[in-house]
Amino acid sequence: MSRPLRIEYENAFYHVMNRGRGRENTFLNDDDFKYFLYCIEQASLRFNIEVHSYCLMTNHYHLLIKTPDANLGRAMKHINGLYTQYFNRTHNTDGALFRGRYKAVLVDADNYLLHVSRYIHRNPIETSTPLVDDLAKYQWSSYSAFIKRVAVPKWLVRDFIFSLQGKKRKYVAYKQFVEFENGEKISAFYNAKKLLSVLGCEDFIENINDHIASPNSESKLVVKKYSADDVIAYLAQYFSVEVDDIVMVKKGRKEKNLPRWFAIKLCQDLSGLNLQALAGIFNVQHYSAISKTVGRLNALMLEDKKVKLQYEKLRDCLMCEVKI
């Protein structure tokens, strides 16, 4: 049997979900939940995805994601792969953790996004054995952040969903919507024997079907790749430094070498090269040094918005000017 068609395009919204293999638990303790959220954070930085709602249950998860760069597959491969490696390492297990390919429902944002967010946030009380008596008490979903009970993760996007309600008292309005609105139509969609891949009004579904049927369309976008040499040359020119200042390790240098850090992350995000190949290009002995450098830059971008904006500017300029 063929796999369901993946429909990817810029600025699409998806309800993404996956369950543990054999319905086994995928989160055994608080540290597991926290690490999965870390994986989401890293994916949001590396792949420029927007997370608009989430709920992590003991044996499955729900994410509401927007993909400005039409790269859902790459982002989810990163999240699932990174978390599975952590889980196997931490709990002394091996093999696949999830039951297989994640499910992704393409969502008509104008008509259904608000309802999907509600469905996701109600998961802890919609099970056969409710996990809490008050949704705000469940700490592994974004609901508490939506009603302003806890600090909001920097990578969580709420304003678009708030805007769909068009009400001034957004926190109170969202709480009332989630806890008291009738959701029978959405529940019927998700409880169907075969889950459809698109949730939307007739016009939205028709447009998607026309796109798939078009002989000139690509239902799954092929991500453009960029030459590492061109990326490095561009950054050297941009920062007015020599190429060697970027590709060579400066021993004893304690200050941040942002041109090098930017180059490593941009090559990882845009070139399609694996860590081993990047280790050779940037003259480090082990590929783990590449991951550590990207991790430092990701942390710095969370602390300093100017650095994040500079990275985004460089990435956008590269995607416009450097192509192979």
Side-chain angles (χ1 to χ4, degrees):
M1 182 180 294
S2 61
R3 287 180 169 183
L5 184 64
R6 285 281 191 249
I7 306 164
E8 295 193 3
Y9 57 87
E10 293 180 356
N11 296 315
F13 281 91
Y14 302 91
H15 175 192
V16 182
M17 59 206 95
N18 209 345
R19 188 177 295 278
R21 182 181 59 179
R23 294 184 176 270
E24 295 179 357
N25 286 346
T26 51
F27 305 103
L28 303 183
N29 53 47
D30 286 0
D31 287 340
D32 292 350
F33 285 110
K34 290 175 183 176
Y35 194 84
F36 193 86
L37 294 178
Y38 166 80
C39 294
I40 296 174
E41 175 187 341
Q42 293 303 301
S44 71
L45 287 169
R46 181 172 176 183
F47 298 100
N48 191 35
I49 62 171
E50 296 178 6
V51 181
H52 289 252
S53 297
Y54 70 84
C55 184
L56 314 183
M57 303 289 280
T58 53
N59 67 354
H60 67 283
Y61 64 77
H62 296 267
L63 306 175
L64 186 54
I65 292 177
K66 180 183 178 182
T67 56
D69 298 331
N71 57 352
L72 179 68
R74 296 181 70 204
M76 291 311 304
K77 181 179 179 182
H78 180 81
I79 292 172
N80 288 338
L82 188 62
Y83 182 73
T84 297
Q85 291 174 16
Y86 154 83
F87 188 93
N88 287 341
R89 181 175 65 250
T90 303
H91 299 293
N92 196 28
T93 58
D94 58 22
L97 175 62
F98 297 103
R99 65 179 175 184
R101 204 172 184 225
Y102 62 88
K103 290 183 178 179
V105 176
L106 180 64
V107 180
D108 174 357
D110 292 338
N111 295 290
Y112 286 95
L113 198 73
L114 186 61
H115 299 275
V116 173
S117 180
R118 177 185 185 274
Y119 175 85
I120 289 172
H121 283 149
R122 287 185 61 83
N123 257 253
I125 63 172
E126 294 289 354
T127 62
S128 55
T129 306
L131 301 180
V132 289
D133 56 2
D134 179 358
L135 279 176
K137 294 179 181 179
Y138 191 72
Q139 62 178 321
W140 306 118
S141 90
S142 52
Y143 181 63
S144 294
F146 268 80
I147 61 173
K148 217 175 180 182
R149 292 283 186 90
V150 298
V152 181
K154 293 182 179 180
W155 43 265
L156 179 65
V157 181
R158 302 176 303 166
D159 288 346
F160 184 77
I161 286 176
F162 285 148
S163 72
L164 295 173
Q165 290 189 285
K167 297 179 180 179
K168 291 183 178 180
R169 300 180 66 198
K170 53 188 178 183
Y171 307 114
V172 173
Y174 187 77
K175 185 177 190 301
Q176 291 177 339
F177 175 75
V178 169
E179 298 188 13
F180 301 108
E181 182 77 11
N182 186 308
E184 291 182 1
K185 186 175 181 180
I186 292 296
S187 295
F189 175 86
Y190 285 105
N191 290 331
K193 198 172 236 186
K194 183 178 179 181
L195 183 63
L196 300 178
S197 59
V198 181
L199 172 60
C201 67
E202 290 184 8
D203 288 344
F204 181 82
I205 295 173
E206 185 177 344
N207 287 337
I208 294 299
N209 289 335
D210 289 345
H211 172 74
I212 295 171
S214 172
N216 297 320
S217 73
E218 295 179 353
S219 297
K220 182 169 178 62
L221 181 78
V222 177
V223 179
K224 295 184 178 71
K225 294 183 180 179
Y226 299 80
S227 162
D229 289 340
D230 284 345
V231 171
I232 292 165
Y234 183 89
L235 291 198
Q237 182 180 12
Y238 179 89
F239 286 104
S240 299
V241 299
E242 299 295 326
V243 168
D244 279 355
D245 291 328
I246 293 177
V247 299
M248 302 303 296
V249 179
K250 302 295 182 181
K251 298 202 180 236
R253 187 172 182 173
K254 294 183 179 179
E255 68 269 19
K256 301 179 182 71
N257 185 353
L258 278 179
R260 177 178 170 85
W261 289 16
F262 281 138
I264 289 175
K265 180 170 173 59
L266 286 165
C267 284
Q268 185 185 57
D269 289 351
L270 301 178
S271 71
L273 297 173
N274 60 31
L275 293 176
Q276 194 67 53
L278 292 174
I281 291 171
F282 289 96
N283 295 284
V284 293
Q285 292 184 348
H286 196 269
Y287 63 81
S288 62
I290 299 297
S291 296
K292 289 178 181 177
T293 299
V294 172
R296 292 190 194 102
L297 179 56
N298 287 340
L300 181 61
M301 288 195 294
L302 283 175
E303 296 171 4
D304 191 334
K305 289 184 178 180
K306 290 182 179 179
V307 175
K308 185 174 185 290
L309 289 172
Q310 187 176 28
Y311 172 80
E312 291 172 347
K313 177 183 176 182
L314 288 168
R315 183 193 60 207
D316 292 345
C317 288
L318 275 164
M319 294 180 73
C320 289
E321 298 186 19
V322 181
K323 298 180 181 179
I324 59 172

